[in-house]
Amino acid sequence: MTFILGISAFYHDSASCLIKDGEIISAVQEERWTRKKHDPEFPKNAIQSCLKIAGITPKELDLVAFYDKPFIKFERLLNTYLSFAPKGIRSFVQAMPLWLKRKLWVKELILKELPGYKGKIIFPEH
């Protein structure tokens, strides 16, 4: 048996999906738990729901995939801000703390939220 957990977070409609042997077992949006429409936060409740539906723990996961490459997205964001400077300074000042505190450290957050998981974390193209 192979279990793959997919995670989407930090932009809009965060969610998780669990696949077992190539078939979708569960797919859950975080907003179903938090009651915040289009909740962008890390989908810890959705992840726990997916694992519970399958009756497994994080240790039984074979692979975790985060839907985007945070460092590549960050680089694109910086290039965009530089291209339009100084017009976007307000937006830049607002966005940077969130990126530097959370969005760049997705791997660490995944490991924190999946205690016992020792497998690979991949970041495929969006």
Side-chain angles (χ1 to χ4, degrees):
M1 258 186 286
T2 302
F3 287 101
I4 300 171
L5 179 69
I7 300 172
S8 172
F10 300 132
Y11 304 107
H12 57 80
D13 297 325
S14 68
S16 68
C17 177
L18 186 65
I19 297 172
K20 175 184 169 189
D21 296 330
E23 289 189 39
I24 296 172
I25 299 300
S26 59
V28 182
Q29 285 186 307
E30 186 68 4
E31 73 178 30
R32 300 294 178 223
W33 296 99
T34 63
R35 301 294 185 214
K36 295 179 193 168
K37 193 73 172 155
H38 306 299
D39 191 343
E41 291 300 316
F42 189 82
K44 59 185 175 184
N45 297 299
I47 290 168
Q48 291 305 314
S49 178
C50 286
L51 295 174
K52 186 176 180 179
I53 288 167
I56 64 169
T57 67
K59 290 179 185 178
E60 296 169 87
L61 292 169
D62 297 288
L63 182 70
V64 174
F66 187 79
Y67 87 106
D68 203 3
K69 295 177 182 284
F71 284 96
I72 290 175
K73 181 143 182 122
F74 184 64
E75 181 182 18
R76 283 192 313 256
L77 182 70
L78 288 177
N79 284 330
T80 299
Y81 280 124
L82 287 171
S83 296
F84 291 99
K87 289 182 184 178
I89 190 68
R90 265 196 199 120
S91 177
F92 176 81
V93 168
Q94 210 172 20
M96 284 307 105
L98 184 58
W99 272 94
L100 296 174
K101 288 179 184 174
R102 294 189 72 205
K103 290 183 179 183
L104 288 175
W105 314 112
V106 173
K107 183 176 182 180
E108 289 78 7
L109 182 56
I110 290 170
L111 292 172
K112 178 184 165 213
E113 294 295 336
L114 293 173
Y117 179 69
K118 304 286 187 216
K120 191 173 182 181
I121 299 172
I122 63 169
F123 298 87
E125 294 287 332
H126 177 59

